[in-house]
Amino acid sequence: SGFMASSTHTFRSRDEYKKAKELEEARKSGQIAPEVDEEGNDINPHIPQYISRAPWYLNQHAPSLKHQKSQLEKDREKYDKLGAWYARGQVGTKSTTYRKGACQNCGSLTHKQKDCVERPRQRGAKFTNKDIKADEIVRNVNLDYEGKRDRWNGYDAAEYKKVIDKSNRLEDERKKQRAQELEDKMAAGKGGKEDSGSEPDDEAEFKLKNEAEVLLEQKDEGTPASVRNLRIRESTAKYLLNLDVNSAYYDPKSRSMREDPTPHVDPEDKDYAGDNFVRLSGDVRKLAELELHAIKAAEESRKVPHMQSDPSLTEMLHKNFKSRKENQESKLRQDVLSRYGGEEFKKVNPDVLLEQSEVYVEYNHDGKMIKGPKAANPHSRYPEDVLEGNHSAIWGSYYDRKERKWGFG
């Protein structure tokens, strides 16, 4: 085609197109030097035009492959590299005399008096010229989108040495305790081959005593393996319960899914309803009731202590309130029963609940009764089926549907 959507491509005649084609073939064969971009780099003549030619909206009038390179490289130069973090716990230079423009309270040059976190002095360092604090190391950390959300950025790997040292101390203490137990058993005459079989159990018991969070899984005798917070192999992972991308969020690091991944399923039919379901169980409801009682009491201008400042007194007042409320409700129920009666209906004979019958009843697959006594018709509060005089049927007015008239029977 003689026309392409590019800023470098305009309408060309047949001769111009033929010359451009010959020039391209000569560059491919090496007879002519290849094209050079703006930075002086050679452009490979074997690259197709749909790659080498820039789109029209980029306004590149000279040959270049700049549009094929990632433009994020320039943006990344604006931000700090991964690992840049604030200097925590480090201090700068410390002066012996007060300097102009420093904090009037402590004498540090990196902040003013209103931002000082030192204890306010009766006479500041500006006037006493004593106990001048060191300057802080202020770093302007400029992180990109990923750096701001990296939870391990700024973590010092040397901090993990404390965990290793603690584990080594526990292991040394375990060996000492085990050796002491063996010596005691040997002294008592219970050592030997019989003692070697119980070693894994003793080790597991000791580890469980020292590290409560570690679960021990012993597959066969003599090979205990520690497992940390792992699910059972047969159980389904939380993130596989609902594969919809808009369902509950799963945090892979903490292995938590707070919301319910399957809200459309009946609660009686599902085994997992989110971590919030577990978090809201136990005494959490009691704590919520206590907070609600304190808030309502404050709204009604009653003298109730704040829950965070005095929780024990708040809980005691809440218990007294609940007991008074229950006593008042029970008293109201007794007044209603004493006035209108009905105490006899509250008492149920336990023999009636466990009563058995030998009446044969047969049901179909739908639960409907096929054979058996018919259900009695419900009676109203008025007398029914009363035969007066020598009548053998109900005497009174009735309606004849055929003649559509009222009569007497």
Side-chain angles (χ1 to χ4, degrees):
S1 62
F3 177 77
M4 295 182 67
S6 175
S7 60
T8 58
H9 292 169
T10 57
F11 180 77
R12 295 179 293 182
S13 63
R14 179 175 296 180
D15 295 336
E16 292 175 347
Y17 182 77
K18 186 176 180 180
K19 290 181 181 179
K21 202 70 176 174
E22 292 176 355
L23 183 63
E24 183 182 352
E25 293 294 335
R27 284 172 176 164
K28 287 183 179 180
S29 61
Q31 298 176 3
I32 302 177
E35 285 185 304
V36 181
D37 59 3
E38 298 174 352
E39 299 177 355
N41 300 322
D42 294 340
I43 298 178
N44 191 345
H46 297 279
I47 296 178
Q49 285 189 359
Y50 70 89
I51 295 178
S52 61
R53 300 300 180 184
W56 59 271
Y57 49 82
L58 294 180
N59 295 325
Q60 291 185 9
H61 301 286
S64 174
L65 293 176
K66 191 185 300 183
H67 61 281
Q68 293 291 344
K69 297 181 180 179
S70 176
Q71 301 298 323
L72 298 177
E73 296 296 333
K74 294 183 178 179
D75 297 338
R76 288 175 181 171
E77 296 177 358
K78 303 177 184 177
Y79 302 103
D80 295 334
K81 294 183 179 180
L82 190 65
W85 202 243
Y86 304 98
R88 294 179 175 175
Q90 301 179 18
V91 294
T93 58
K94 184 175 181 180
S95 177
T96 56
T97 59
Y98 181 79
R99 294 159 293 179
K100 185 178 179 180
C103 175
Q104 298 181 8
N105 183 45
C106 67
S108 179
L109 199 61
T110 52
H111 64 267
K112 298 298 181 182
Q113 184 178 3
K114 64 177 182 179
D115 301 325
C116 185
V117 296
E118 292 287 333
R119 178 181 60 85
R121 305 180 185 180
Q122 188 173 5
R123 295 184 65 204
K126 179 180 179 181
F127 306 101
T128 60
N129 209 14
K130 295 179 180 180
D131 194 14
I132 305 296
K133 296 298 181 181
D135 300 338
E136 298 98 346
I137 298 177
V138 181
R139 289 182 182 174
N140 186 16
V141 180
N142 187 19
L143 300 174
D144 57 355
Y145 182 85
E146 295 178 355
K148 291 178 181 178
R149 287 155 181 81
D150 186 8
R151 64 176 68 190
W152 291 107
N153 191 16
Y155 175 73
D156 187 8
E159 292 290 328
Y160 192 70
K161 191 175 183 302
K162 299 178 182 178
V163 181
I164 298 176
D165 294 341
K166 179 182 177 182
S167 178
N168 293 335
R169 289 196 301 270
L170 288 174
E171 185 68 18
D172 296 339
E173 188 66 26
R174 183 191 68 82
K175 291 180 179 179
K176 290 179 182 179
Q177 183 173 346
R178 180 60 187 163
Q180 184 65 32
E181 291 178 357
L182 288 176
E183 290 179 1
D184 296 342
K185 289 183 179 180
M186 290 292 290
K190 295 182 180 179
K193 295 182 180 181
E194 298 179 357
D195 186 61
S196 60
S198 62
E199 183 175 353
D201 297 334
D202 295 340
E203 292 180 358
E205 183 180 359
F206 182 83
K207 287 187 178 181
L208 283 176
K209 287 180 182 178
N210 288 276
E211 301 180 20
E213 72 278 0
V214 178
L215 304 175
L216 290 181
E217 183 183 11
Q218 188 171 350
K219 296 181 179 179
D220 52 2
E221 187 175 354
T223 59
S226 61
V227 183
R228 287 184 179 270
N229 193 18
L230 295 182
R231 60 181 178 85
I232 306 175
R233 181 183 293 235
E234 288 76 12
S235 65
T236 307
K238 299 176 184 178
Y239 51 84
L240 296 179
L241 295 175
N242 191 351
L243 300 180
D244 188 7
V245 295
N246 296 323
S247 63
Y249 172 72
Y250 176 76
D251 187 9
K253 189 174 188 302
S254 59
R255 296 178 182 176
S256 60
M257 181 180 287
R258 304 197 181 282
E259 298 180 4
D260 186 4
T262 55
H264 55 281
V265 181
D266 188 9
E268 297 181 357
D269 297 337
K270 56 186 175 183
D271 301 328
Y272 180 75
D275 294 339
N276 283 337
F277 180 80
V278 181
R279 293 174 64 202
L280 296 178
S281 60
D283 294 337
V284 180
R285 294 184 179 273
K286 296 180 181 179
L287 183 62
E289 292 178 359
L290 188 59
E291 290 181 352
L292 183 61
H293 173 258
I295 293 172
K296 287 185 176 180
E299 291 177 353
E300 296 175 0
S301 300
R302 286 188 288 169
K303 293 183 180 180
V304 176
H306 197 271
M307 184 177 172
Q308 274 73 27
S309 61
D310 201 348
S312 301
L313 183 58
T314 309
E315 185 178 3
M316 185 186 69
L317 293 176
H318 181 54
K319 287 182 179 179
N320 295 338
F321 171 76
K322 289 176 65 177
S323 62
R324 290 199 305 270
K325 184 179 179 181
E326 291 176 358
N327 293 336
Q328 187 175 0
E329 290 178 354
S330 62
K331 183 180 179 182
L332 181 61
R333 286 194 296 268
Q334 291 297 330
D335 294 343
V336 173
L337 290 175
S338 61
R339 176 175 296 183
Y340 299 102
E343 187 71 27
E344 64 276 6
F345 298 106
K346 295 176 61 177
K347 299 178 181 180
V348 181
N349 189 5
D351 298 334
V352 177
L353 298 176
L354 303 175
E355 190 178 28
Q356 296 181 359
S357 175
E358 295 182 357
V359 178
Y360 177 76
V361 181
E362 186 176 344
Y363 299 92
N364 61 0
H365 62 280
D366 295 332
K368 297 180 180 180
M369 187 174 63
I370 302 175
K371 295 181 182 180
K374 295 182 179 180
N377 295 325
H379 293 276
S380 64
R381 59 184 295 183
Y382 303 100
E384 299 179 6
D385 299 338
V386 178
L387 303 178
E388 297 182 359
N390 57 352
H391 294 282
S392 59
I394 300 300
W395 183 85
S397 60
Y398 72 98
Y399 182 75
D400 192 352
R401 295 183 178 180
K402 293 182 179 179
E403 298 182 1
R404 296 183 178 181
K405 293 181 180 180
W406 286 93
F408 296 93

